[in-house]
Amino acid sequence: MTDYKEQAMNKELFMKACDVLDFLEIGLPTNMTDDQIDMETMIQALSFARCCMSPDITDRHGKKLFESISFDKKQQFEKRFCADGETAENFTENLLFSVVDDAVKNGLYTLPTKEEMQIVKAFGEFFDQANQTQIKDFIFFAENNDVRTAINKAMNPPYKKSVTHKTTRAFNQADRRNIKKDLNNTGVAEIDDVLLKIKSYKKFPLSVKLLLLRGLIEFEVTGNKTIRISLDEYAQMTGYNINPHDDTETERKKAVDRKKNFRKKIRNDLDILYNSEFEYEDYKKQLVDARIIQEKGKLNAYDDEIIMRFADTFVKTLLSSNVLTWIHPNIFLIDEDHITAYYIAIKMCHHYSTINNHTRGTKNRLSMNTLIKAANLPTYEELKLKNNRNWRRIIQEPIINALEYLVSIGILKEYTITRSKGEPLKDDDYLYDAKYKDFSSLYVNFTLTDYEYIDAKIKESAKKKKRKKSKKKTKKTP
């Protein structure tokens, strides 16, 4: 410690502050030599303790410091530090006052502004309620953002995890093109090696896929079979404004009708989910017959919560999958008019979420042929059988329009179309002059918005897998 700092601060008081923080396990250790003590760091630690751990940011006391420690430890503290009749709270309040005020007087520390204090309060409140994942996200976002932005992003991350299985992928691919009615009025679709059956089949709107997807995200977060989703939150997520735009009587009546229609739409989606089941072979080659949901909320006129309970067999299927996809929340804004964009967005998110694609260096690259298949568009061969050679209007234009739409709603940051080895196209006209064979052999290189978040999660997941493998090897070693 420099001579100036020795003169500026009461050394004995300072060391006692170190000792207190060390006892509470929130500060610097006391076994530091004088020249190792960083005065400014110590003041910051004391200020943080005073501000963040106080129930009221304007009160400079240490009461909150003792809320999380045991009664025995508090007694030990009072026996070690306090005078007769003095409480731990009084002692800490006085000590924090003394050290920080002494530092302020000597110009070593400036008291935070009101705005800084509010930020620190928000920071403390966030840590009080945040789970481990949110705290990790805050640390990630804090590298390039201010505290408030980092907190907001941590509480509302740019991607949500969804459980993925071949059954859910089949459900995502089902639509009027591949669902056929049988004699019992059951919709049947065979997608890859999954058979989807929907009783009393009428229509399969995009909204039913979104509702299942939202439920899968909730299941991944909570692990609960019974999914509860706020009607207002789901409406906002899917772009439906069901609340009054103003305070007029006319608008309030319109809002009631909008909410009524929204409930009706969700009831229809819940009916489809309730009537849907899968048949498929599991990894043991055993035939599984699983319903998606076994209970549903009725969503009557005054219900403001969507409720559905996943069937036990389906939950078991999901838990055995161990495959996750990072979903961009703007996917929920896609409507029926842009269903091709939905298929492509889901495919891109799943592709980018696959660890092996990061290892291979193909995480942001998909062949046009793969996108055409994922988009549920007719194949060129199907068009030829119908003697329809207008593949540009039926295949090419929907793909290009979907990519442009995904950029416009913020799911894609950008994309480029290249040849197989990444070579750029000769000119813009090439796409519209190329034959189908040449077009389908092209590649789409895409950049998801906020892709850095997924990269960080994939990196973290890869490290965990590596640690698990290392532990297994260690256990096997005699």
Side-chain angles (χ1 to χ4, degrees):
M1 192 182 291
T2 63
D3 292 339
Y4 169 74
K5 286 189 176 180
E6 281 190 63
Q7 293 169 4
M9 196 76 177
N10 182 317
K11 184 177 170 186
E12 187 179 338
L13 183 67
F14 180 67
M15 292 304 293
K16 183 168 272 193
C18 285
D19 202 18
V20 169
L21 288 180
D22 180 46
F23 182 89
L24 295 170
E25 297 173 353
I26 61 167
L28 301 175
T30 58
N31 59 356
M32 293 173 128
T33 59
D34 288 352
D35 58 350
Q36 288 178 313
I37 296 172
D38 179 348
M39 174 67 74
E40 290 186 20
T41 302
M42 188 63 230
I43 300 302
Q44 290 289 348
L46 284 166
S47 178
F48 177 80
R50 186 193 68 186
C51 296
C52 285
M53 299 193 181
S54 168
D56 183 338
I57 200 72
T58 59
D59 290 346
R60 301 175 188 176
H61 56 70
K63 287 181 201 172
K64 193 78 180 243
L65 295 176
F66 296 92
E67 287 188 4
S68 61
I69 69 172
S70 67
F71 178 74
D72 288 343
K73 189 166 185 178
K74 185 177 175 183
Q75 280 193 320
Q76 289 173 31
F77 183 95
E78 289 177 345
K79 186 176 179 181
R80 177 175 171 184
F81 296 108
C82 301
D84 290 341
E86 187 180 27
T87 65
E89 288 84 356
N90 293 145
F91 174 87
T92 313
E93 177 184 355
N94 294 332
L95 181 64
L96 292 176
F97 256 138
S98 301
V99 177
V100 177
D101 288 353
D102 202 5
V104 170
K105 286 174 188 173
N106 288 284
L108 293 176
Y109 180 67
T110 306
L111 284 173
T113 63
K114 186 177 180 181
E115 173 62 21
E116 287 170 337
M117 295 280 270
Q118 288 172 341
I119 290 172
V120 172
K121 182 181 180 182
F123 183 69
E125 288 173 347
F126 165 73
F127 269 79
D128 282 343
Q129 63 179 319
N131 57 38
Q132 191 176 7
T133 300
Q134 290 167 332
I135 290 171
K136 283 183 180 178
D137 285 352
F138 170 81
I139 293 168
F140 170 74
F141 291 121
E143 289 183 11
N144 300 304
N145 297 280
D146 60 61
V147 172
R148 287 189 186 280
T149 304
I151 289 173
N152 184 51
K153 283 179 173 283
M155 297 301 286
N156 303 283
Y159 287 86
K160 306 279 189 181
K161 272 191 295 188
S162 170
V163 192
T164 303
H165 183 258
K166 62 182 178 180
T167 53
T168 61
R169 290 194 290 274
F171 194 83
N172 260 325
Q173 286 298 110
D175 66 14
R176 57 185 176 78
R177 285 194 62 244
N178 48 32
I179 299 177
K180 309 298 179 187
K181 273 190 186 181
D182 66 11
L183 296 175
N184 297 318
N185 206 31
T186 297
V188 180
E190 191 167 353
I191 300 168
D192 295 329
D193 61 342
V194 175
L195 184 68
L196 171 64
K197 296 182 290 184
I198 308 169
K199 294 175 184 176
S200 306
Y201 177 73
K202 293 179 182 178
K203 190 182 176 185
F204 199 87
L206 173 59
S207 56
V208 74
K209 299 175 193 286
L210 295 175
L211 185 59
L212 177 60
L213 183 61
R214 177 64 183 80
L216 292 172
I217 289 171
E218 185 72 14
F219 175 74
E220 167 57 27
V221 172
T222 65
N224 296 328
K225 294 176 188 177
T226 301
I227 306 301
R228 297 176 179 274
I229 306 167
S230 158
L231 191 72
D232 282 346
E233 180 264 332
Y234 187 64
Q236 186 178 7
M237 176 180 268
T238 51
Y240 285 89
N241 192 340
I242 59 177
N243 295 313
H245 300 156
D246 54 51
D247 200 32
T248 61
E249 183 63 26
T250 303
E251 178 53 29
R252 283 197 294 272
K253 286 180 180 178
K254 286 182 180 178
V256 169
D257 289 338
R258 287 198 298 269
K259 209 164 191 176
K260 181 180 177 182
N261 291 332
F262 190 55
R263 283 195 184 96
K264 184 179 177 181
K265 181 177 169 52
I266 293 169
R267 280 199 301 271
N268 180 62
D269 292 344
L270 286 170
D271 285 343
I272 294 171
L273 287 173
Y274 185 74
N275 290 325
S276 298
E277 59 183 57
F278 299 110
E279 279 186 18
Y280 69 96
E281 278 190 355
D282 64 12
Y283 66 97
K284 293 179 181 178
K285 300 297 181 183
Q286 293 180 334
L287 187 66
V288 177
D289 193 337
R291 291 185 68 173
I292 296 179
I293 62 173
Q294 62 191 39
E295 292 177 37
K296 55 175 179 167
K298 293 181 179 178
L299 211 64
N300 293 322
Y302 298 103
D303 293 333
D304 283 331
E305 193 173 46
I306 305 164
I307 302 172
M308 54 183 174
R309 179 179 173 80
F310 284 135
D312 292 342
T313 308
F314 184 60
V315 165
K316 190 177 178 181
T317 293
L318 295 176
L319 293 175
S320 68
S321 170
N322 199 29
V323 178
L324 298 172
T325 296
W326 290 98
I327 301 294
H328 195 291
N330 286 5
I331 281 177
F332 290 93
L333 297 175
I334 299 173
D335 57 31
E336 294 286 344
D337 293 336
H338 297 93
I339 194 164
T340 300
Y342 171 81
Y343 288 133
I344 290 177
I346 287 289
K347 180 63 181 177
M348 286 178 165
C349 285
H350 179 67
H351 184 78
Y352 203 93
S353 300
T354 305
I355 294 178
N356 286 343
N357 293 332
H358 285 248
T359 306
R360 296 188 195 108
T362 59
K363 62 184 181 181
N364 57 351
R365 194 165 179 262
L366 283 165
S367 71
M368 192 66 76
N369 209 29
T370 299
L371 283 186
I372 292 169
K373 184 181 177 184
N376 259 15
L377 296 170
T379 65
Y380 185 63
E381 287 69 28
E382 287 173 338
L383 293 181
K384 284 200 298 184
L385 286 174
K386 293 179 179 178
N387 202 27
N388 183 350
R389 297 185 178 273
N390 194 358
W391 66 270
R392 294 190 192 281
R393 182 178 63 81
I394 298 171
I395 300 174
Q396 186 185 65
E397 286 179 15
I399 292 285
I400 303 301
N401 290 342
L403 291 170
E404 289 294 326
Y405 176 74
L406 292 177
V407 172
S408 72
I409 64 170
I411 293 176
L412 286 184
K413 190 175 181 180
E414 60 184 3
Y415 75 92
T416 56
I417 298 174
T418 67
R419 295 181 183 277
S420 60
K421 293 183 179 179
E423 311 100 314
L425 302 182
K426 294 175 184 176
D427 52 57
D428 293 339
D429 293 333
Y430 177 82
L431 280 177
Y432 306 99
D433 294 335
K435 295 180 179 178
Y436 178 80
K437 183 181 177 182
D438 297 325
F439 174 76
S440 62
S441 65
L442 296 174
Y443 278 74
V444 175
N445 300 276
F446 60 92
T447 304
L448 293 170
T449 56
D450 296 307
Y451 68 90
E452 300 92 346
Y453 182 77
I454 305 179
D455 286 352
K457 295 296 181 181
I458 293 287
K459 193 175 179 180
E460 185 182 321
S461 181
K463 282 181 180 178
K464 283 181 182 177
K465 283 189 175 182
K466 194 174 180 180
R467 282 197 296 269
K468 282 183 181 178
K469 283 184 180 179
S470 179
K471 283 181 182 179
K472 284 181 180 179
K473 285 181 181 179
T474 305
K475 285 181 181 179
K476 287 180 182 179
T477 304

